Amino acid sequence: MLTHVKILGIITMSTLLFSCKSTQDNPQSEFKYTIDQFADVKVMRYQVSDWDSLTLAQKELVYYLSQASLCGRDIVFDQNFKYNLLVRRTLEAIEASYKGNKDTDSYKKFYTYLKRVWFSNGIHHHYSGDKFTPEFEAAYFAELVKNSDMSPVLAPNETPEQLLAFISPILFDPTVYPKRISLDAKAGLVETSACNFYEGVSTTEVENFYANMAKTKTNTPISYGLNSQVVKENGKVVEKVWKLDGMYGPAIAKMVYWLEKAAGVAQNPAQKAHILKLIEYYKTGDLKTWDEYNVMWVADNISTVDYVNGFIENYGDPMGMKANWEGISNFTDIEATKRTKKISENAQWFEDHSPVDQRFKKEKVKGVSAKVINVAQLGGACYPTPPIGINLPNADWIRRDHGSKSVTIQNISAAYDAAAAEGKNNALTEFACTEEELVLHKKYGTLAGNLHTDLHECLGHGSGKLLPGTNSEALKNYSSAMEEARADLFALYYMMDPKMIELDIIPSLEVAKVEYNTAIRNGLINQITRIELGKDIEQAHMRCRALIANWSYQNGLAENVIEKVIKNGKTYYKINDYQKLRLLFGKLLAELQRIKSEGDYAAAKTMIDTYAVKIDPKLHKEVLDRYTKLQLAPYGGFVNPKLSPVVKNGQIVDIEITYPDDFAKQMKEYSKDFSFIPTTR
């Protein structure tokens, strides 16, 4: 499970600066985090703290794992939409060869559109999933194609005119493939989604296909459908598995190449074994092997260098089954991990004292480990918009029997904070109700945010259990939002527990107040700055925040727990009783755990539809107007550092790290160096 990115300009915490001895484009004292801004996004850089504390062997391992992480870029473009690679390569061909004037307003709009496609891994918004259309005219696009070398993207015997006729509606017609992920169950989740997990099949056919696979009840169920596309061939529904000799084979072959090199410099036998098991999985596509790999990977708590690599998160599938490919290479931040170690060592205490029904608690919490990491490279669905926390594996039975790994990504959070501090305006000042909120946030904001991520990932996702016979996919299209809300509530409930002070994790419960303020403010006001006026909330993490804030506000009205305040015509929300709010969080947590444990789809649907989808139009317009005046970008992403082997006499003697400051340049380099999947029609 992923804890997704912060909302730029909304969560403004104190800046964390790193000591970095490695080569970079600018000296540390002049390091600039924000390097580009266009449309609704800001592009930043992150630094890799303590790079030079790693041994040469560790650096080499990080490098090989990083190369493997970059090899899945084309996979994610193709998973998001079947014509994304065609679109990207067409736009890139124009950018590289257009013979006309590039200093016009229309061309600048074209270039912005290209950057948006790069940033979102396709033509649909990286967060909302809605298609964004070009701001230049279709006639101008025809001129661009006519005056550019289209040979790199033309199919055999295809003319530029035919390419133009095919691709123009995809770009310019808002009714063609309008949503990457549709949650309209009445119209058909599969039929109305543009994501490339299904082709020529209906929602009912997909449900029946996997229902037949899962007929056999087992205590260790396979995650059927995780690594395949479902299609219809000769009238029969079949899977096209993503593996070495199957779909996405060329990209997977490159991953395997780098993973084999990584296995050769593994830190210990256990790490080598799970890297080799991952390679076996990629060669066979066997999901039993994937489970075996996850059991081995989660047991490795001694390796300093670690990684995430695979088809993992299913947020991009309206059916909640198929997983986008993602890759991250990282290493442990030893000092910061002391905080998370205290939490993981007391996991049983937190489970035992949870406000949920005893029937849904784990009798024995197994294998919960937590650490703080520094990311060295982001890839696949984690690039350029990474999570700030991760808890894996996702299979409930592996969590139950073998535990989970939880990480808080320190250098990504720090980069967000530092980039926010570079700006003149911030949304915290605009939307916080009182001066006390601002003072507390300045004092404890960083600690509160990191602790929330620690608890969410380490304990929240790993807490609770399913009742016997409950299908982990029972909540279907509501499962992701419900799971994120459940983990968030677990974190929020315990942040204000005296146990936090007893464990010397926080100095006082004032830290919890900061995160309570943030949760309510973000859920009721701040996050709707990301949504177009009149549209509903659809993204899982946003529904999570809206559910918690709206439910708590509505259920606390009788005691005025959260007060709606109007000042100078502006709307704010103020928490009047933090302890009562904590009890509300606990009550909602208990209900969400019941829903998950029992697989109560109807209750999940009612909960989400009632509290997490609709936005008050009057408030929405007001908030958008206020936010527009701040001239901030509500979304953020990153360029990767560049890792370069230093070779002498045929031997690697160091891995040099530098920090690029040109988003477009890195994207073009990646398109050149990591394009392994052919363009198809």
Side-chain angles (χ1 to χ4, degrees), residues 1 313 362 364-368 391-405 457-458 460-463 483 486 596:
M1 307 290 180
E313 300 293 351
K362 289 180 178 175
K364 187 175 182 180
V365 178
K366 298 180 181 179
V368 174
N391 183 277
L392 294 172
N394 282 334
D396 283 296
W397 74 265
I398 297 180
R399 292 174 182 273
R400 179 195 69 213
D401 295 346
H402 302 280
S404 61
K405 274 186 187 178
E457 297 295 350
C458 179
H461 282 308
S463 66
E483 176 59 21
R486 190 183 71 87
K596 177 176 180 176

Side-chain angles (χ1 to χ4, degrees), residues 300-373:
D300 178 9
N301 294 316
I302 62 173
S303 298
T304 298
V305 175
D306 206 352
Y307 65 100
V308 172
N309 189 295
F311 301 102
I312 297 173
E313 300 293 351
N314 59 13
Y315 301 118
D317 177 14
M319 301 290 287
M321 300 178 69
K322 309 294 175 184
N324 281 113
W325 189 89
E326 63 189 64
I328 291 177
S329 62
N330 64 81
F331 58 93
T332 304
D333 185 319
I334 303 298
E335 185 61 33
T337 294
K338 293 177 181 178
R339 177 185 72 237
T340 57
K341 187 177 180 181
K342 292 178 183 178
I343 293 171
S344 61
E345 288 176 343
N346 287 273
Q348 190 65 58
W349 184 92
F350 289 105
E351 183 77 2
D352 292 343
H353 291 81
S354 168
V356 308
D357 191 291
Q358 191 65 37
R359 294 180 300 147
F360 311 135
K361 294 182 182 181
K362 289 180 178 175
E363 293 81 6
K364 187 175 182 180
V365 178
K366 298 180 181 179
V368 174
S369 66
K371 60 184 176 180
V372 177
I373 64 169

Side-chain angles (χ1 to χ4, degrees), residues 101-127:
N101 185 0
K102 293 187 176 182
D103 197 31
T104 66
D105 184 60
S106 292
Y107 187 84
K108 290 175 182 177
K109 289 179 179 178
F110 160 79
Y111 197 56
T112 295
Y113 180 73
L114 171 56
K115 290 200 289 187
R116 294 192 73 183
V117 170
W118 279 330
F119 189 91
S120 294
N121 292 317
I123 65 171
H124 298 89
H125 194 277
H126 74 284
Y127 209 80

